Amino acid sequence: MSTRARRGRRGLATRLLLAQVVVLLASLLTAGLVALLVGPSLFHAHVLQVRPVWDPAELEHIERGFREASFVALSAGLLISLGCAIAVTWWMTRGMQRTLDALTTAASKVSRGHLSSRVSSAGGGAELDTLAGAFNLMAGQLEQTEATRRRLLSDLAHELRTPISTIQLYCEGLTDGVIQWDEATERVLTEHTARLARLAGDIDDVSRAEEGRLELDLSPVPVTDLVASTVQRQQDVFAAAGVRLTGEYRTAGDAVVHVDTDRLGQVLDNLLRNALRHTPQGGAVVVSAGRAGEEVQVTVTDSGDGIPAEQLSHVFERFYRGDTARDRDHGGSGIGLTISRAIADAHGGSLTASSEGRGRGSSFTLRLPVRARQRSVPAHGTDRS
Ligand SMILES: Nc1ncnc2c1ncn2[C@@H]1O[C@H](COP(=O)(O)OP(=O)(O)OP(=O)(O)O)[C@@H](O)[C@H]1O
Ligand SMILES: [Mg+2]
């Protein structure tokens, strides 16, 4: 709103004061009229009750005294009430005005892109405190979304650089005749274009996951079914790689979880793919499911590479790859665990990692409440292929 338009409208304090003055004048007018119309005749009747016959000058003097006393009382009342109205208005609007001014300033800063602006409550009352709190929450979420967007863009640019420059180099080499079109060239180009395609698919999922906008289609599923179908799905791939895959889920009993089966399948598939990638031939991977109180735990344990302690806290970070060269060679983008943890969180559960150290295997534990809650139900969802 322009300054002129703001000036044209009266402020909160002025309007509150005007309202009080109107009420004050109405009550004083009523009191004055009553005092004028009823007071003198009442007083006159009482004076005559004391003594029926008065000297007219004496009577006039007494009655003038009554009128003057009434006038002084009403005037003093008006002045004191007016003073009180001004004081009360000032006291009441001071905090409100300050909070509203702070909200206006912060809102215009946020609209100009200063998303770190916040409002501290200046004692304008419970409702304004709630409004300030809601504004801060909104600004915080905007800031977080913006930070996610920025990080995502810079990470993405970083991730795109390698495959794009490799493809570019090969194209130039082929054009100049420095590189021949053979099986190796075809493999490199196919691998790098596949990585670009995968990245494009992952990026949408990861931004949705990090902003809590994953769509979940919940249905009740017995944990044993969930784990058994994942193990079955991956059995052939593990057999081909010479890694033993076993499922132990008897202790889960008949526990039922309310989950999005596709999303949970995505999590378990990623955990198993990771385990296979990091377990050498002859190794073993065990998927176990059990119930612990009000939650079920699904644990994927492998006998493979293990994760050094200093890397454990980073494996869930976006685009993090422990052994960059090796994981990149296997086509991983370092996004799988980020999405998996976000999916677990969205189900009201958690995903954690543990390892005894390098060469001593790793263990990933997915915990889900027996009656899982859905935390966010946004408009659209995507499936990661
Ligand atoms: N079972 C495991 N054993 C050892 N290291 C692991 C294991 N699982 C994950 N990691 C480490 O955590 C990193 C992140 O895993 P994540 O699943 O997020 O990405 P990725 O598997 O590299 O790629 P993507 O899943 O996106 O294809 C991996 O690069 C790897 O270094
Ligand atoms: Mg992975």
Side-chain angles (χ1 to χ4, degrees):
M1 195 191 297
S2 72
T3 326
R4 258 176 78 193
R6 274 179 72 180
R7 238 182 266 138
R9 293 192 189 177
R10 289 195 172 84
L12 180 71
T14 317
R15 277 183 292 143
L16 204 66
L17 185 63
L18 279 178
Q20 291 201 65
V21 168
V22 168
V23 174
L24 203 72
L25 288 178
S27 46
L28 271 171
L29 199 69
T30 316
L33 276 174
V34 171
L36 209 68
L37 298 177
V38 185
S41 52
L42 252 178
F43 183 76
H44 187 76
H46 277 284
V47 169
L48 290 184
Q49 272 173 18
V50 174
R51 199 191 323 151
V53 183
W54 287 83
D55 170 23
E58 212 178 8
L59 188 61
E60 162 60 21
H61 183 73
I62 292 174
E63 288 186 340
R64 201 175 62 237
F66 170 77
R67 282 197 302 275
E68 280 176 10
S70 302
F71 177 76
V72 170
L74 282 173
S75 307
L78 174 69
L79 285 177
I80 292 172
S81 311
L82 210 61
C84 283
I86 291 172
V88 166
T89 305
W90 176 79
W91 178 75
M92 273 182 66
T93 53
R94 200 174 39 130
M96 286 162 98
Q97 202 74 55
R98 258 194 257 144
T99 309
L100 287 174
D101 283 350
L103 268 166
T104 313
T105 312
S108 69
K109 276 188 186 169
V110 166
S111 73
R112 288 198 304 272
H114 303 292
L115 300 179
S116 59
S117 300
R118 297 289 182 276
V119 181
S120 56
S121 174
E127 290 84 357
L128 279 181
D129 285 355
T130 312
L131 180 64
F135 177 88
N136 288 341
L137 198 69
M138 180 201 74
Q141 268 164 5
L142 275 177
E143 191 178 21
Q144 212 177 333
T145 306
E146 179 61 13
T148 307
R149 192 185 65 80
R150 285 205 187 130
R151 267 187 295 132
L152 203 62
L153 281 178
S154 83
D155 287 349
L156 183 61
H158 180 75
E159 287 301 313
L160 288 173
R161 212 164 287 139
T162 313
I164 287 178
S165 55
T166 309
I167 293 170
Q168 206 172 14
L169 258 171
Y170 270 75
C171 286
E172 281 169 13
L174 282 167
T175 312
D176 298 346
V178 184
I179 297 175
Q180 302 307 314
W181 182 264
D182 54 18
E183 216 175 289
T185 309
E186 189 183 341
R187 201 182 58 244
V188 171
L189 287 176
T190 312
E191 261 174 26
H192 283 87
T193 42
R195 178 170 300 160
L196 284 178
R198 238 169 70 86
L199 259 176
D202 284 347
I203 227 66
D204 189 42
D205 259 9
V206 86
S207 57
R208 276 175 192 283
E210 290 200 339
E211 285 161 23
R213 293 188 294 119
L214 279 178
E215 184 183 87
L216 298 179
D217 181 13
L218 299 181
S219 58
V221 195
V223 183
T224 44
D225 288 5
L226 200 69
V227 179
S229 61
T230 311
V231 170
Q232 208 175 0
R233 232 182 1 252
Q234 302 266 347
Q235 204 61 263
D236 290 348
V237 193
F238 273 70
V243 176
R244 191 155 43 88
L245 174 63
T246 44
E248 291 173 3
Y249 27 81
R250 270 190 301 272
T251 52
D254 54 2
V256 170
V257 281
H258 287 244
V259 294
D260 183 319
T261 334
D262 288 347
R263 290 289 184 188
L264 254 293
Q266 187 181 336
V267 174
L268 294 175
D269 280 347
N270 181 48
L271 293 180
L272 285 182
R273 260 202 317 272
N274 283 353
L276 181 62
R277 188 180 295 166
H278 293 277
T279 306
Q281 197 174 13
V285 174
V286 179
V287 187
S288 61
R291 185 166 175 163
E294 283 309 293
E295 60 180 21
V296 289
Q297 293 185 354
V298 180
T299 308
V300 177
T301 311
D302 65 65
S303 61
D305 299 345
I307 305 171
E310 69 275 9
Q311 286 186 12
L312 262 182
S313 57
H314 297 293
V315 293
F316 293 99
E317 284 171 14
R318 188 163 17 88
F319 294 118
Y320 179 84
R321 282 176 295 222
D323 180 349
T324 310
R326 179 193 168 145
D327 288 306
R328 204 188 293 263
D329 285 348
H330 283 82
S333 334
I335 292 180
L337 286 178
T338 314
I339 297 174
S340 300
R341 178 173 263 183
I343 293 174
D345 286 351
H347 281 85
S350 65
L351 178 63
T352 50
S354 64
S355 171
E356 296 283 303
R358 211 180 279 281
R360 303 178 68 180
S362 321
S363 190
F364 285 81
T365 304
L366 170 69
R367 290 184 182 81
L368 292 170
V370 174
R371 283 201 63 85
R373 274 179 301 111
Q374 184 175 2
R375 253 192 9 203
S376 54
V377 188
H380 306 288
T382 50
D383 279 318
R384 187 171 184 245
S385 53

